Amino acid sequence: MNMAETELMNALRGRWLLDEPMARHVSWRAGGQAKRAYVPADLDDLALMLRGLPSDEPLMFVGLGSNLLVRDGGYGGTVVFTHGVLSRIALVDERAVHAAAGVASPKVARFAAMHDLVGAEFLAGIPGTVGGALAMNAGCYGGETWRIVRDVTTLARDGSLRVRKPSEYQVGYRHVSLAPEHALQQEWFVAATFELDAGSGTEARARIRDFLARRIATQPLGKPNAGSVFRNPPGDYAARLIEACGLKGRRIGGAQISDKHANFIVNLEGARAADIEALISLAQQTVMVKYGIGLECEVRVVGEPA
């Protein structure tokens, strides 16, 4: 680190954590350590931290860790924790809600309904944060995140902020990428404005309750999990394919393909990241052999094996 980078780092107001166990920060409650982690004081502090990092430093933003597996050997870069820090949510106008990246997606659904705005109810079924929902175009119950995005705010590696429109992105099913003509450097989502319709908050809250009841009835929420592990292939469902292969309930170590929903892998007790990853590979290989279909992961797997 050069002198300028050192001076920037000395001006920071957030907290550094060394060798931070990522099992504390991912919903699977499994995995290795991050070499360094940073809890920013606010967005300005985060921008300052990014400007001081070496340009080749691996960097990862983590909200609720509901779509992430860190291998047992750990992550050799810097992790930024956004949940509870980038937490502002507010009305922009009579049809729009602005939410920072660290806001839990269900909170956006409830906030919109409270202000008689409809169209965000599906977000109640997404267990992560706004940042994660934007990064993967998260969706459920017929809704998708980017269908309601008016604009996003991004933070670049050099600490600069930009407001971007959906037209600047290539958006698909569980996929989002900045169009090549706009991708000058690495950027992360730090906020979004969601454009919604005026409607009945009472009816919106009823839909939210219905979505949550359906989640409880169909998903293994009593054990640590990361939501749906695989994207649904065109015209089919990953859970159906996995179950049809006889893998529902299959266990490796402390991890299990859920016996309640086959597209979920749960941490029964003391699972290692390697156990979870082995079940991911088993499901992919078995479905490919039997059906010739390649299951694509929704979850992000990072780091090094133990």
Side-chain angles (χ1 to χ4, degrees):
M1 189 177 294
N2 61 37
M3 184 175 297
E5 292 169 341
T6 301
E7 289 176 356
L8 280 174
M9 290 303 184
N10 288 338
L12 296 178
R13 294 173 285 114
R15 291 186 296 122
W16 283 103
L17 305 170
L18 301 179
D19 297 323
E20 179 66 10
M22 287 302 293
R24 297 175 181 172
H25 303 281
V26 301
S27 58
W28 256 318
R29 296 293 180 259
Q33 298 179 334
K35 186 175 181 181
R36 288 170 297 277
Y38 190 67
V39 183
D42 50 34
L43 185 55
D44 289 339
D45 181 63
L46 175 55
L48 188 66
M49 188 277 284
L50 290 187
R51 287 198 292 272
L53 273 186
S55 60
D56 59 350
E57 171 78 354
L59 186 60
M60 177 170 63
F61 280 42
V62 174
L64 288 169
S66 59
N67 200 47
L68 178 67
L69 182 65
V70 179
R71 292 188 175 104
D72 299 301
Y75 179 74
T78 296
V79 172
V80 173
F81 295 124
T82 63
H83 183 58
V85 180
L86 303 184
S87 57
R88 182 175 179 269
I89 183 168
L91 285 178
V92 176
D93 55 44
E94 68 277 4
R95 290 192 55 191
V97 173
H98 184 82
V103 175
S105 296
K107 185 174 182 178
V108 178
R110 295 192 300 270
F111 183 89
M114 184 174 67
H115 290 88
D116 292 318
L117 293 173
V118 300
E121 295 91 322
F122 73 94
L123 288 171
I126 296 172
T129 58
V130 167
L134 291 169
M136 66 174 292
N137 191 24
C140 60
Y141 306 127
E144 283 189 338
T145 301
W146 279 81
R147 291 179 189 168
I148 59 172
V149 170
R150 175 190 288 180
D151 59 53
V152 295
T153 305
T154 66
L155 178 63
R157 186 86 191 210
D158 64 4
S160 61
L161 291 169
R162 291 178 176 83
V163 176
R164 294 192 181 275
K165 298 294 184 182
S167 59
E168 297 178 65
Y169 291 87
Q170 297 172 338
V171 178
Y173 174 62
R174 304 298 178 264
H175 169 78
V176 178
S177 61
L178 197 57
E181 63 268 25
H182 301 297
L184 301 179
Q185 59 176 312
Q186 195 173 14
E187 297 180 7
W188 293 266
F189 297 113
V190 292
T193 302
F194 298 108
E195 185 154 9
L196 305 167
D197 294 321
S200 167
T202 300
E203 293 178 4
R205 288 189 289 272
R207 284 191 290 272
I208 289 171
R209 288 193 296 271
D210 178 60
F211 290 158
L212 294 179
R214 287 163 63 181
R215 280 192 72 211
I216 292 168
T218 60
Q219 298 177 10
L221 303 183
K223 294 290 185 182
N225 68 84
S228 296
V229 175
F230 301 106
R231 302 174 183 177
N232 288 323
D236 211 332
Y237 295 94
R240 188 199 72 79
L241 293 166
I242 296 167
E243 185 171 355
C245 288
L247 295 177
K248 198 172 187 180
R250 179 68 63 89
R251 180 171 178 172
I252 294 179
Q256 180 191 50
I257 294 177
S258 170
D259 54 12
K260 189 172 186 179
H261 192 308
N263 198 15
F264 282 62
I265 293 175
V266 297
N267 182 347
L268 290 177
E269 185 177 5
R272 301 175 304 150
D275 299 334
I276 296 168
E277 193 169 8
L279 284 175
I280 291 173
S281 296
L282 175 65
Q284 289 175 316
Q285 292 166 10
T286 307
V287 169
M288 175 58 75
V289 169
K290 185 167 184 177
Y291 293 104
I293 295 174
L295 292 179
E296 294 184 56
C297 264
E298 281 193 16
V299 298
R300 184 181 180 192
V301 181
V302 302
E304 300 297 326

